[in-house]
Amino acid sequence: MEIVSMKKENAMLIRLKGRMDVVTSPAFEQACDKVILGGDKLLVLDLGGLEYISSAGLRSILGVDKKIKAQGGKLALCNLMGMVKEVFHVSGFAEMFPTFDTVEAALGST
Amino acid sequence: MEIVSMKKENAMLIRLKGRMDVVTSPAFEQACDKVILGGDKLLVLDLGGLEYISSAGLRSILGVDKKIKAQGGKLALCNLMGMVKEVFHVSGFAEMFPTFDTVEAALGST
Amino acid sequence: MDPPDEAVPCRLKLPATLESLDPFQDFVRGQIRESRCPQETQFKIQLALEEALVNIAHYAYPPGGAGWIELACRLESGGKRLWVEIRDGGRAFNPFERGKPDMTASLDKRQIGGLGIFLVRQMTEKAEYRRDGDTNVLTLQFGLDAAP
Amino acid sequence: MDPPDEAVPCRLKLPATLESLDPFQDFVRGQIRESRCPQETQFKIQLALEEALVNIAHYAYPPGGAGWIELACRLESGGKRLWVEIRDGGRAFNPFERGKPDMTASLDKRQIGGLGIFLVRQMTEKAEYRRDGDTNVLTLQFGLDAAP
Ligand SMILES: Nc1ncnc2c1ncn2[C@@H]1O[C@H](COP(=O)(O)OP(=O)(O)O)[C@@H](O)[C@H]1O
Ligand SMILES: Nc1ncnc2c1ncn2[C@@H]1O[C@H](COP(=O)(O)OP(=O)(O)O)[C@@H](O)[C@H]1O
């Protein structure tokens, strides 16, 4: 999995690419931990490049959400595609997070 | 396996690279068939880049030798290395062909 | 190459560790290559396999022990269906005896658990468990044409 | 990662075709990766495996049938030795009953044959055959430190 994070005006944006599985999700959690320490109030995950996610990935995202909420921030997801979109829907995770069709919409969601 | 053949003054030189196994040796035989049709009297095989050979590879070389002899030509081998050298020795094939340490020596062997 | 005969499933047996996950996935990927099924279907198969295999690696054997997993698979119905059997020698555990996780619980209250088995069920046409002597046997069936 | 327990060999079962050769070689390559044995030793292991597997693909089963090969392997003696077992369900054939090929025959007279089995013997520390019910079982042992 490729993880690219960048600072936006009022938020951090993290773009994920590739496969988010039991082996790769810990790296995602670490990347998010740094961002959360940075104190940003909105974390946008761009999943447009993600082709695969398993329960380990969902669990990581849930964990990140809890941490960011604990410091008064929030998580927004965008660009869910293909199998990733379906796993979010089937698992009920799609209803637990604000999800958007574009990065711009997600960034504007504060 | 990579097979590169080039015309030398009085001979054809074929350089082999990679693995000569049951799957790749037919391509070697085909390459030699063309050369033999061309009527060259000396065919030099440079095995310096070959890292692996199996009995299928030995059998191919034996077959090429027979064909080239049938039209009055001969085969010379050079640059036997590592595992390839050992397989030639252990199988007795090293004694069945003229083998040389360098391409130049093999080319000068007419 | 002819499709493998339905009577002879291909098999791979490896240690029950997370390091074995990729070789198992590669193995199944190799088996279904010739079926040319949609990539999204392949991802769903990989998801069910990951969930099932990770659970065995995590829970089936006592820690530190030398557990194994054996995966057998074959194409069926002329390449339209994939049959997978996953065996382990760990403690008896029927994953389908548990209830479904509570998908309606609010995010804060929700327990993180049960999701893996739920996804196995969702991604398969059929998923069955049986105990065979000292062995857990999980049988999964996937349609290869379209999404299940 | 700990070396796999000596009691649990890893296994791979595939159709008895030449297409299975590379997956078998990859499988064994993966198993001995952690032993860090010299590349030349690895090539010799690959040679013995190729000869044994190709013979099964070519000769063990009636043409057109759906034969299988199962290869099991494990590191032994703390990673100093590789044990390989190759099984097939083809007709009974003991490769080590035959005499050695005549290595002294002149090139022209020499029969091309018997070389594969001869190389299996040369590349192994130990090579044994037994018939187990309907199955041919070839057991090969390789030293991983240096050339045999
Ligand atoms: N092979 C197994 N052996 C024993 N217990 C298991 C096994 N697989 C799963 N479990 C138990 O079932 C629970 C639910 O598994 P799962 O649905 O994958 O969710 P999770 O792993 O997220 O908890 C696990 O927490 C574990 O307690
Ligand atoms: N698995 C097998 N079943 C039946 N016959 C076999 C088997 N393996 C080898 N043979 C026979 O043994 C002979 C010698 O095999 P080998 O030493 O590999 O040399 P080659 O394949 O070059 O003839 C083969 O030609 C074949 O007749």
Side-chain angles (χ1 to χ4, degrees), chain A residues 37-68:
Chain A
L37 283 176
D40 282 291
K41 292 303 176 198
L42 176 62
L43 174 58
V44 173
L45 297 184
D46 178 358
L47 306 184
L50 205 64
E51 60 180 21
Y52 174 89
I53 194 167
S54 68
S55 74
L58 294 177
R59 227 176 287 125
S60 290
I61 292 176
L62 204 51
V64 167
D65 181 71
K66 285 199 170 147
K67 284 188 203 161
I68 204 163

PDB file of all heavy atoms in Angstrom, chain A residues 37-68:
ATOM      1  N   LEU A  37      -1.235  13.578  15.941  1.00  0.00           N
ATOM      2  CA  LEU A  37      -0.349  14.314  16.856  1.00  0.00           C
ATOM      3  C   LEU A  37      -0.166  15.749  16.384  1.00  0.00           C
ATOM      4  O   LEU A  37      -0.036  16.673  17.191  1.00  0.00           O
ATOM      5  CB  LEU A  37       1.030  13.637  16.943  1.00  0.00           C
ATOM      6  CG  LEU A  37       1.090  12.393  17.812  1.00  0.00           C
ATOM      7  CD1 LEU A  37       2.468  11.763  17.745  1.00  0.00           C
ATOM      8  CD2 LEU A  37       0.721  12.748  19.258  1.00  0.00           C
ATOM      9  N   GLY A  38      -0.183  15.964  15.066  1.00  0.00           N
ATOM     10  CA  GLY A  38      -0.043  17.299  14.494  1.00  0.00           C
ATOM     11  C   GLY A  38      -1.210  18.208  14.856  1.00  0.00           C
ATOM     12  O   GLY A  38      -1.134  19.420  14.662  1.00  0.00           O
ATOM     13  N   GLY A  39      -2.304  17.637  15.361  1.00  0.00           N
ATOM     14  CA  GLY A  39      -3.408  18.443  15.881  1.00  0.00           C
ATOM     15  C   GLY A  39      -4.450  18.855  14.857  1.00  0.00           C
ATOM     16  O   GLY A  39      -5.315  19.688  15.160  1.00  0.00           O
ATOM     17  N   ASP A  40      -4.412  18.298  13.659  1.00  0.00           N
ATOM     18  CA  ASP A  40      -5.416  18.666  12.666  1.00  0.00           C
ATOM     19  C   ASP A  40      -6.801  18.197  13.091  1.00  0.00           C
ATOM     20  O   ASP A  40      -6.943  17.132  13.682  1.00  0.00           O
ATOM     21  CB  ASP A  40      -5.050  18.089  11.302  1.00  0.00           C
ATOM     22  CG  ASP A  40      -3.969  18.913  10.624  1.00  0.00           C
ATOM     23  OD1 ASP A  40      -4.269  20.052  10.230  1.00  0.00           O
ATOM     24  OD2 ASP A  40      -2.820  18.424  10.535  1.00  0.00           O
ATOM     25  N   LYS A  41      -7.806  18.982  12.750  1.00  0.00           N
ATOM     26  CA  LYS A  41      -9.153  18.655  13.204  1.00  0.00           C
ATOM     27  C   LYS A  41      -9.929  17.849  12.160  1.00  0.00           C
ATOM     28  O   LYS A  41     -10.926  17.211  12.478  1.00  0.00           O
ATOM     29  CB  LYS A  41      -9.927  19.940  13.535  1.00  0.00           C
ATOM     30  CG  LYS A  41      -9.372  20.677  14.760  1.00  0.00           C
ATOM     31  CD  LYS A  41      -9.359  19.764  15.997  1.00  0.00           C
ATOM     32  CE  LYS A  41      -8.719  20.475  17.199  1.00  0.00           C
ATOM     33  NZ  LYS A  41      -8.297  19.543  18.248  1.00  0.00           N
ATOM     34  N   LEU A  42      -9.494  17.922  10.903  1.00  0.00           N
ATOM     35  CA  LEU A  42     -10.145  17.116   9.873  1.00  0.00           C
ATOM     36  C   LEU A  42      -9.105  16.261   9.159  1.00  0.00           C
ATOM     37  O   LEU A  42      -8.076  16.771   8.712  1.00  0.00           O
ATOM     38  CB  LEU A  42     -10.856  18.022   8.858  1.00  0.00           C
ATOM     39  CG  LEU A  42     -11.503  17.279   7.664  1.00  0.00           C
ATOM     40  CD1 LEU A  42     -12.597  16.327   8.115  1.00  0.00           C
ATOM     41  CD2 LEU A  42     -12.051  18.280   6.645  1.00  0.00           C
ATOM     42  N   LEU A  43      -9.396  14.973   9.092  1.00  0.00           N
ATOM     43  CA  LEU A  43      -8.523  14.057   8.348  1.00  0.00           C
ATOM     44  C   LEU A  43      -9.350  13.463   7.212  1.00  0.00           C
ATOM     45  O   LEU A  43     -10.368  12.810   7.458  1.00  0.00           O
ATOM     46  CB  LEU A  43      -8.008  12.949   9.267  1.00  0.00           C
ATOM     47  CG  LEU A  43      -7.198  11.835   8.592  1.00  0.00           C
ATOM     48  CD1 LEU A  43      -5.980  12.389   7.864  1.00  0.00           C
ATOM     49  CD2 LEU A  43      -6.762  10.801   9.622  1.00  0.00           C
ATOM     50  N   VAL A  44      -8.940  13.742   5.988  1.00  0.00           N
ATOM     51  CA  VAL A  44      -9.649  13.215   4.826  1.00  0.00           C
ATOM     52  C   VAL A  44      -8.859  12.042   4.242  1.00  0.00           C
ATOM     53  O   VAL A  44      -7.665  12.165   3.955  1.00  0.00           O
ATOM     54  CB  VAL A  44      -9.830  14.302   3.745  1.00  0.00           C
ATOM     55  CG1 VAL A  44     -10.414  13.691   2.467  1.00  0.00           C
ATOM     56  CG2 VAL A  44     -10.732  15.416   4.268  1.00  0.00           C
ATOM     57  N   LEU A  45      -9.517  10.894   4.111  1.00  0.00           N
ATOM     58  CA  LEU A  45      -8.889   9.729   3.468  1.00  0.00           C
ATOM     59  C   LEU A  45      -9.405   9.614   2.039  1.00  0.00           C
ATOM     60  O   LEU A  45     -10.602   9.403   1.827  1.00  0.00           O
ATOM     61  CB  LEU A  45      -9.218   8.443   4.209  1.00  0.00           C
ATOM     62  CG  LEU A  45      -8.737   8.304   5.645  1.00  0.00           C
ATOM     63  CD1 LEU A  45      -9.083   6.912   6.163  1.00  0.00           C
ATOM     64  CD2 LEU A  45      -7.238   8.561   5.739  1.00  0.00           C
ATOM     65  N   ASP A  46      -8.491   9.729   1.088  1.00  0.00           N
ATOM     66  CA  ASP A  46      -8.847   9.540  -0.319  1.00  0.00           C
ATOM     67  C   ASP A  46      -8.576   8.089  -0.685  1.00  0.00           C
ATOM     68  O   ASP A  46      -7.432   7.669  -0.812  1.00  0.00           O
ATOM     69  CB  ASP A  46      -8.004  10.497  -1.177  1.00  0.00           C
ATOM     70  CG  ASP A  46      -8.299  10.316  -2.662  1.00  0.00           C
ATOM     71  OD1 ASP A  46      -9.112   9.434  -3.013  1.00  0.00           O
ATOM     72  OD2 ASP A  46      -7.697  11.059  -3.462  1.00  0.00           O
ATOM     73  N   LEU A  47      -9.644   7.300  -0.849  1.00  0.00           N
ATOM     74  CA  LEU A  47      -9.501   5.859  -1.105  1.00  0.00           C
ATOM     75  C   LEU A  47      -9.561   5.532  -2.596  1.00  0.00           C
ATOM     76  O   LEU A  47      -9.683   4.363  -2.980  1.00  0.00           O
ATOM     77  CB  LEU A  47     -10.599   5.095  -0.352  1.00  0.00           C
ATOM     78  CG  LEU A  47     -10.694   5.360   1.160  1.00  0.00           C
ATOM     79  CD1 LEU A  47     -11.752   4.470   1.795  1.00  0.00           C
ATOM     80  CD2 LEU A  47      -9.350   5.147   1.845  1.00  0.00           C
ATOM     81  N   GLY A  48      -9.465   6.558  -3.440  1.00  0.00           N
ATOM     82  CA  GLY A  48      -9.638   6.364  -4.885  1.00  0.00           C
ATOM     83  C   GLY A  48      -8.659   5.361  -5.488  1.00  0.00           C
ATOM     84  O   GLY A  48      -8.973   4.691  -6.456  1.00  0.00           O
ATOM     85  N   GLY A  49      -7.472   5.265  -4.918  1.00  0.00           N
ATOM     86  CA  GLY A  49      -6.478   4.355  -5.466  1.00  0.00           C
ATOM     87  C   GLY A  49      -6.451   3.004  -4.774  1.00  0.00           C
ATOM     88  O   GLY A  49      -5.640   2.143  -5.104  1.00  0.00           O
ATOM     89  N   LEU A  50      -7.349   2.825  -3.810  1.00  0.00           N
ATOM     90  CA  LEU A  50      -7.364   1.570  -3.046  1.00  0.00           C
ATOM     91  C   LEU A  50      -8.178   0.528  -3.801  1.00  0.00           C
ATOM     92  O   LEU A  50      -9.337   0.753  -4.126  1.00  0.00           O
ATOM     93  CB  LEU A  50      -7.987   1.841  -1.669  1.00  0.00           C
ATOM     94  CG  LEU A  50      -7.589   0.906  -0.529  1.00  0.00           C
ATOM     95  CD1 LEU A  50      -6.100   1.038  -0.238  1.00  0.00           C
ATOM     96  CD2 LEU A  50      -8.391   1.212   0.721  1.00  0.00           C
ATOM     97  N   GLU A  51      -7.594  -0.588  -4.076  1.00  0.00           N
ATOM     98  CA  GLU A  51      -8.317  -1.601  -4.842  1.00  0.00           C
ATOM     99  C   GLU A  51      -8.822  -2.741  -3.967  1.00  0.00           C
ATOM    100  O   GLU A  51      -9.665  -3.511  -4.371  1.00  0.00           O
ATOM    101  CB  GLU A  51      -7.434  -2.172  -5.962  1.00  0.00           C
ATOM    102  CG  GLU A  51      -6.165  -2.829  -5.481  1.00  0.00           C
ATOM    103  CD  GLU A  51      -5.314  -3.373  -6.644  1.00  0.00           C
ATOM    104  OE1 GLU A  51      -5.487  -2.903  -7.790  1.00  0.00           O
ATOM    105  OE2 GLU A  51      -4.494  -4.261  -6.411  1.00  0.00           O
ATOM    106  N   TYR A  52      -8.301  -2.827  -2.738  1.00  0.00           N
ATOM    107  CA  TYR A  52      -8.625  -3.968  -1.886  1.00  0.00           C
ATOM    108  C   TYR A  52      -8.596  -3.537  -0.426  1.00  0.00           C
ATOM    109  O   TYR A  52      -7.687  -2.823  -0.006  1.00  0.00           O
ATOM    110  CB  TYR A  52      -7.580  -5.066  -2.110  1.00  0.00           C
ATOM    111  CG  TYR A  52      -7.709  -6.260  -1.190  1.00  0.00           C
ATOM    112  CD1 TYR A  52      -8.503  -7.341  -1.541  1.00  0.00           C
ATOM    113  CD2 TYR A  52      -7.040  -6.301   0.032  1.00  0.00           C
ATOM    114  CE1 TYR A  52      -8.616  -8.440  -0.699  1.00  0.00           C
ATOM    115  CE2 TYR A  52      -7.160  -7.391   0.880  1.00  0.00           C
ATOM    116  CZ  TYR A  52      -7.940  -8.466   0.510  1.00  0.00           C
ATOM    117  OH  TYR A  52      -8.059  -9.546   1.345  1.00  0.00           O
ATOM    118  N   ILE A  53      -9.590  -3.956   0.337  1.00  0.00           N
ATOM    119  CA  ILE A  53      -9.564  -3.728   1.789  1.00  0.00           C
ATOM    120  C   ILE A  53     -10.127  -4.956   2.493  1.00  0.00           C
ATOM    121  O   ILE A  53     -11.046  -5.604   1.985  1.00  0.00           O
ATOM    122  CB  ILE A  53     -10.344  -2.451   2.182  1.00  0.00           C
ATOM    123  CG1 ILE A  53     -10.019  -2.042   3.623  1.00  0.00           C
ATOM    124  CG2 ILE A  53     -11.850  -2.643   1.994  1.00  0.00           C
ATOM    125  CD1 ILE A  53     -10.499  -0.644   3.985  1.00  0.00           C
ATOM    126  N   SER A  54      -9.550  -5.313   3.628  1.00  0.00           N
ATOM    127  CA  SER A  54     -10.072  -6.427   4.419  1.00  0.00           C
ATOM    128  C   SER A  54     -10.513  -5.888   5.779  1.00  0.00           C
ATOM    129  O   SER A  54     -10.384  -4.698   6.060  1.00  0.00           O
ATOM    130  CB  SER A  54      -8.998  -7.496   4.607  1.00  0.00           C
ATOM    131  OG  SER A  54      -7.962  -6.996   5.449  1.00  0.00           O
ATOM    132  N   SER A  55     -11.000  -6.776   6.663  1.00  0.00           N
ATOM    133  CA  SER A  55     -11.482  -6.315   7.964  1.00  0.00           C
ATOM    134  C   SER A  55     -10.360  -5.657   8.757  1.00  0.00           C
ATOM    135  O   SER A  55     -10.611  -4.770   9.570  1.00  0.00           O
ATOM    136  CB  SER A  55     -12.106  -7.479   8.749  1.00  0.00           C
ATOM    137  OG  SER A  55     -11.105  -8.349   9.239  1.00  0.00           O
ATOM    138  N   ALA A  56      -9.114  -6.087   8.500  1.00  0.00           N
ATOM    139  CA  ALA A  56      -7.982  -5.447   9.189  1.00  0.00           C
ATOM    140  C   ALA A  56      -7.904  -3.968   8.805  1.00  0.00           C
ATOM    141  O   ALA A  56      -7.633  -3.110   9.649  1.00  0.00           O
ATOM    142  CB  ALA A  56      -6.678  -6.158   8.840  1.00  0.00           C
ATOM    143  N   GLY A  57      -8.174  -3.661   7.536  1.00  0.00           N
ATOM    144  CA  GLY A  57      -8.185  -2.269   7.082  1.00  0.00           C
ATOM    145  C   GLY A  57      -9.333  -1.501   7.687  1.00  0.00           C
ATOM    146  O   GLY A  57      -9.163  -0.364   8.160  1.00  0.00           O
ATOM    147  N   LEU A  58     -10.508  -2.110   7.704  1.00  0.00           N
ATOM    148  CA  LEU A  58     -11.672  -1.449   8.313  1.00  0.00           C
ATOM    149  C   LEU A  58     -11.396  -1.151   9.781  1.00  0.00           C
ATOM    150  O   LEU A  58     -11.695  -0.068  10.285  1.00  0.00           O
ATOM    151  CB  LEU A  58     -12.910  -2.347   8.183  1.00  0.00           C
ATOM    152  CG  LEU A  58     -13.428  -2.600   6.766  1.00  0.00           C
ATOM    153  CD1 LEU A  58     -14.608  -3.576   6.798  1.00  0.00           C
ATOM    154  CD2 LEU A  58     -13.844  -1.292   6.090  1.00  0.00           C
ATOM    155  N   ARG A  59     -10.811  -2.137  10.449  1.00  0.00           N
ATOM    156  CA  ARG A  59     -10.513  -1.974  11.865  1.00  0.00           C
ATOM    157  C   ARG A  59      -9.523  -0.822  12.091  1.00  0.00           C
ATOM    158  O   ARG A  59      -9.667  -0.055  13.022  1.00  0.00           O
ATOM    159  CB  ARG A  59      -9.956  -3.280  12.423  1.00  0.00           C
ATOM    160  CG  ARG A  59     -10.601  -3.680  13.728  1.00  0.00           C
ATOM    161  CD  ARG A  59     -10.091  -5.030  14.207  1.00  0.00           C
ATOM    162  NE  ARG A  59     -10.626  -6.117  13.425  1.00  0.00           N
ATOM    163  CZ  ARG A  59      -9.914  -7.044  12.805  1.00  0.00           C
ATOM    164  NH1 ARG A  59      -8.586  -7.023  12.852  1.00  0.00           N
ATOM    165  NH2 ARG A  59     -10.502  -7.992  12.118  1.00  0.00           N
ATOM    166  N   SER A  60      -8.550  -0.704  11.217  1.00  0.00           N
ATOM    167  CA  SER A  60      -7.587   0.401  11.321  1.00  0.00           C
ATOM    168  C   SER A  60      -8.283   1.745  11.179  1.00  0.00           C
ATOM    169  O   SER A  60      -8.016   2.687  11.925  1.00  0.00           O
ATOM    170  CB  SER A  60      -6.524   0.301  10.217  1.00  0.00           C
ATOM    171  OG  SER A  60      -5.685  -0.781  10.452  1.00  0.00           O
ATOM    172  N   ILE A  61      -9.165   1.823  10.200  1.00  0.00           N
ATOM    173  CA  ILE A  61      -9.865   3.086   9.972  1.00  0.00           C
ATOM    174  C   ILE A  61     -10.727   3.435  11.180  1.00  0.00           C
ATOM    175  O   ILE A  61     -10.775   4.580  11.632  1.00  0.00           O
ATOM    176  CB  ILE A  61     -10.704   3.015   8.672  1.00  0.00           C
ATOM    177  CG1 ILE A  61      -9.745   2.934   7.467  1.00  0.00           C
ATOM    178  CG2 ILE A  61     -11.639   4.197   8.555  1.00  0.00           C
ATOM    179  CD1 ILE A  61     -10.433   2.770   6.119  1.00  0.00           C
ATOM    180  N   LEU A  62     -11.379   2.411  11.738  1.00  0.00           N
ATOM    181  CA  LEU A  62     -12.196   2.623  12.933  1.00  0.00           C
ATOM    182  C   LEU A  62     -11.327   3.127  14.081  1.00  0.00           C
ATOM    183  O   LEU A  62     -11.716   4.047  14.824  1.00  0.00           O
ATOM    184  CB  LEU A  62     -12.855   1.290  13.313  1.00  0.00           C
ATOM    185  CG  LEU A  62     -14.131   1.308  14.125  1.00  0.00           C
ATOM    186  CD1 LEU A  62     -15.161   2.217  13.513  1.00  0.00           C
ATOM    187  CD2 LEU A  62     -14.696  -0.114  14.222  1.00  0.00           C
ATOM    188  N   GLY A  63     -10.157   2.552  14.239  1.00  0.00           N
ATOM    189  CA  GLY A  63      -9.251   2.962  15.312  1.00  0.00           C
ATOM    190  C   GLY A  63      -8.791   4.403  15.148  1.00  0.00           C
ATOM    191  O   GLY A  63      -8.740   5.169  16.121  1.00  0.00           O
ATOM    192  N   VAL A  64      -8.482   4.773  13.918  1.00  0.00           N
ATOM    193  CA  VAL A  64      -8.056   6.147  13.633  1.00  0.00           C
ATOM    194  C   VAL A  64      -9.198   7.109  13.938  1.00  0.00           C
ATOM    195  O   VAL A  64      -9.004   8.174  14.529  1.00  0.00           O
ATOM    196  CB  VAL A  64      -7.608   6.272  12.161  1.00  0.00           C
ATOM    197  CG1 VAL A  64      -7.471   7.726  11.754  1.00  0.00           C
ATOM    198  CG2 VAL A  64      -6.296   5.523  11.947  1.00  0.00           C
ATOM    199  N   ASP A  65     -10.401   6.714  13.559  1.00  0.00           N
ATOM    200  CA  ASP A  65     -11.569   7.555  13.821  1.00  0.00           C
ATOM    201  C   ASP A  65     -11.725   7.813  15.316  1.00  0.00           C
ATOM    202  O   ASP A  65     -11.993   8.938  15.750  1.00  0.00           O
ATOM    203  CB  ASP A  65     -12.820   6.866  13.265  1.00  0.00           C
ATOM    204  CG  ASP A  65     -14.068   7.702  13.487  1.00  0.00           C
ATOM    205  OD1 ASP A  65     -14.189   8.745  12.811  1.00  0.00           O
ATOM    206  OD2 ASP A  65     -14.904   7.328  14.339  1.00  0.00           O
ATOM    207  N   LYS A  66     -11.550   6.764  16.116  1.00  0.00           N
ATOM    208  CA  LYS A  66     -11.694   6.918  17.568  1.00  0.00           C
ATOM    209  C   LYS A  66     -10.656   7.887  18.122  1.00  0.00           C
ATOM    210  O   LYS A  66     -10.979   8.748  18.954  1.00  0.00           O
ATOM    211  CB  LYS A  66     -11.555   5.563  18.262  1.00  0.00           C
ATOM    212  CG  LYS A  66     -12.795   4.723  18.061  1.00  0.00           C
ATOM    213  CD  LYS A  66     -12.910   3.589  19.067  1.00  0.00           C
ATOM    214  CE  LYS A  66     -14.314   2.961  18.943  1.00  0.00           C
ATOM    215  NZ  LYS A  66     -14.338   1.539  19.210  1.00  0.00           N
ATOM    216  N   LYS A  67      -9.430   7.725  17.652  1.00  0.00           N
ATOM    217  CA  LYS A  67      -8.365   8.601  18.150  1.00  0.00           C
ATOM    218  C   LYS A  67      -8.613  10.051  17.779  1.00  0.00           C
ATOM    219  O   LYS A  67      -8.410  10.961  18.585  1.00  0.00           O
ATOM    220  CB  LYS A  67      -7.003   8.170  17.575  1.00  0.00           C
ATOM    221  CG  LYS A  67      -6.423   6.933  18.240  1.00  0.00           C
ATOM    222  CD  LYS A  67      -4.995   6.688  17.749  1.00  0.00           C
ATOM    223  CE  LYS A  67      -4.622   5.225  17.930  1.00  0.00           C
ATOM    224  NZ  LYS A  67      -3.468   4.851  17.098  1.00  0.00           N
ATOM    225  N   ILE A  68      -9.043  10.270  16.566  1.00  0.00           N
ATOM    226  CA  ILE A  68      -9.204  11.660  16.129  1.00  0.00           C
ATOM    227  C   ILE A  68     -10.418  12.290  16.812  1.00  0.00           C
ATOM    228  O   ILE A  68     -10.409  13.473  17.160  1.00  0.00           O
ATOM    229  CB  ILE A  68      -9.270  11.741  14.580  1.00  0.00           C
ATOM    230  CG1 ILE A  68      -8.842  13.135  14.131  1.00  0.00           C
ATOM    231  CG2 ILE A  68     -10.630  11.408  14.032  1.00  0.00           C
ATOM    232  CD1 ILE A  68      -8.487  13.207  12.661  1.00  0.00           C
TER     233      ILE A  68
END
